[in-house]
């Protein structure tokens, strides 16, 4: 299996504060990696550095063979292969679901509108929302908005999907419908890095779980090892707090 993401010695500073302190990480093709840890541990910052929504202060990031940490890289071209789903959906409120999904493929990939429309419908079927193709975001529930956001990310046919706490803004009953779509993506072999508070999802779907604390990867391993027999005290404390007894 070839490596889709390779990070070496990643540092990120905001002012005088070191948020990431020398991260090393490799993600193989088709692997699902879930990143867990307390708030403020650098999880989302690491994810955002992967597609250069944040610029690394030091280190090397290679995604799909492209050195994302190289300032000369055509970042828009490089991002075409990386889908990103945020906790706050980031849909365009003035556009229909159809236009939200077709905008990037038509504008960036120069896809014909008819083809983009066909693909949008197929993607909405995949996330169970084909009947909402002409709805506006304000007419959707939170879970529906997030499923549209996933369909929109998939419309660029990415090789890699990054999820930044995709369920944290959702009501509990809507979380399941989003996780179901993500489980299906994992089953289909998508390379995924998921920052999540959903321990059940991480346990069930991840090939590997990474525990971050205070800007470093403190522990990583198979889900059963991390959840049943963590090596680090900090991991044990965190899991005791977030998982029901």
């Amino acid at each position: 299996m070839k490596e889709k993401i390779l990070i070496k010695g990643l540092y990120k500073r905001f002012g005088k504060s070191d948020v990431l302190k020398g991260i090393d990480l490799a993600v193989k093709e088709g692997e699902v990696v879930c990143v867990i840890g307390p708030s403020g541990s650098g999880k989302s910052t690491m994810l955002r550095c992967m597609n250069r929504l944040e610029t690394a202060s030091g280190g090397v990031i290679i995604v799909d063979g492209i050195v994302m940490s190289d300032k000369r890289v055509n970042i828009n071209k490089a991002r075409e292969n990386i889908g990103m789903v945020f906790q706050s959906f980031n849909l365009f409120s003035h556009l229909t679901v159809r236009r939200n999904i077709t905008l990037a493929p038509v504008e960036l990939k120069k896809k014909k509108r008819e083809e983009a429309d066909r693909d949008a419908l197929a993607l909405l079927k995949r996330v169970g929302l084909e009947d909402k193709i002409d709805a506006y975001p304000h007419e959707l529930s939170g879970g529906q908005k997030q499923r549209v956001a996933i369909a929109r990310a998939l419309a660029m046919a990415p090789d890699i999907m990054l999820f930044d706490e995709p369920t944290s803004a959702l009501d509990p009953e809507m979380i399941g419908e989003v996780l179901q779509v993500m489980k299906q993506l994992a089953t289909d072999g998508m390379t995924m890095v998921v920052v999540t508070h959903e321990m059940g999802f991480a346990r069930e779907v991840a090939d590997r779980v990474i525990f971050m604390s205070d800007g470093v990867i403190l522990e990583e391993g198979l889900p059963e090892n991390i959840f049943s027999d963590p090596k680090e005290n900090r991991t044990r404390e965190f899991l005791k707090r977030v998982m029901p007894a």
Side-chain angles (χ1 to χ4, degrees):
M1 287 281 196
K2 68 173 183 172
E3 286 170 347
K4 296 293 273 183
I5 300 171
L6 181 63
I7 296 174
K8 288 188 170 179
L10 173 60
Y11 281 82
K12 177 62 184 175
R13 270 174 221 98
F14 291 108
K16 291 182 179 172
S17 173
D18 283 326
V19 178
L20 298 176
K21 304 168 184 173
I23 299 283
D24 293 326
L25 176 66
V27 180
K28 290 187 169 63
E29 187 168 20
E31 192 177 16
V32 178
V33 174
C34 283
V35 185
I36 64 170
S39 294
S41 58
K43 306 183 301 292
S44 294
T45 301
M46 179 181 75
L47 201 72
R48 291 167 69 85
C49 284
M50 287 181 193
N51 69 350
R52 227 169 76 191
L53 284 173
E54 298 288 356
T55 306
S57 305
V60 175
I61 305 166
I62 303 170
V63 180
D64 241 359
I66 296 168
V67 184
M68 300 294 282
S69 44
D70 183 344
K71 306 281 196 300
R72 296 163 300 184
V73 160
N74 178 342
I75 198 63
N76 292 326
K77 192 77 187 147
R79 280 188 189 136
E80 287 181 9
N81 283 340
I82 311 168
M84 179 108 184
V85 177
F86 303 87
Q87 72 185 66
S88 54
F89 325 129
N90 289 14
L91 296 177
F92 296 112
S93 59
H94 64 292
L95 298 180
T96 62
V97 166
R98 179 198 306 266
R99 289 284 288 128
N100 263 284
I101 294 172
T102 59
L103 186 65
V106 169
E107 298 293 323
L108 299 177
K109 286 207 162 174
K110 306 302 180 199
K111 205 178 254 191
K112 289 199 166 62
R113 192 168 296 285
E114 302 74 38
E115 186 189 354
D117 278 353
R118 271 198 311 276
D119 290 348
L121 185 58
L123 286 166
L124 286 170
K125 278 185 179 159
R126 198 167 162 186
V127 300
L129 288 173
E130 63 268 38
D131 58 328
K132 300 293 186 185
I133 193 163
D134 290 315
Y136 283 88
H138 72 267
E139 300 172 303
L140 306 177
S141 70
Q144 289 170 335
K145 285 178 191 170
Q146 195 58 295
R147 283 186 283 157
V148 170
I150 293 171
R152 179 178 65 177
L154 291 173
M156 292 296 283
D159 292 337
I160 296 162
M161 287 285 283
L162 307 177
F163 292 88
D164 189 7
E165 299 188 15
T167 57
S168 65
L170 301 178
D171 293 334
E173 68 268 24
M174 292 173 186
I175 289 171
E177 63 193 50
V178 173
L179 294 180
Q180 200 52 50
V181 171
M182 293 170 65
K183 283 177 191 173
Q184 191 55 56
L185 279 178
T187 303
D188 294 345
M190 176 67 77
T191 306
M192 294 163 59
V193 182
V194 185
V195 171
T196 186
H197 291 301
E198 296 297 325
M199 300 301 144
F201 174 82
R203 192 170 209 156
E204 182 186 344
V205 179
D207 296 302
R208 189 159 40 117
V209 173
I210 285 171
F211 175 73
M212 286 184 70
S213 180
D214 196 28
V216 298
I217 293 175
L218 203 58
E219 186 166 0
E220 63 179 291
L222 298 172
E224 57 265 34
N225 295 343
I226 295 291
F227 288 110
S228 304
D229 187 25
K231 300 284 181 281
E232 299 285 338
N233 275 336
R234 186 73 187 85
T235 315
R236 276 198 289 279
E237 285 167 16
F238 173 78
L239 291 173
K240 206 179 285 182
R241 281 209 315 276
V242 298
M243 293 184 77

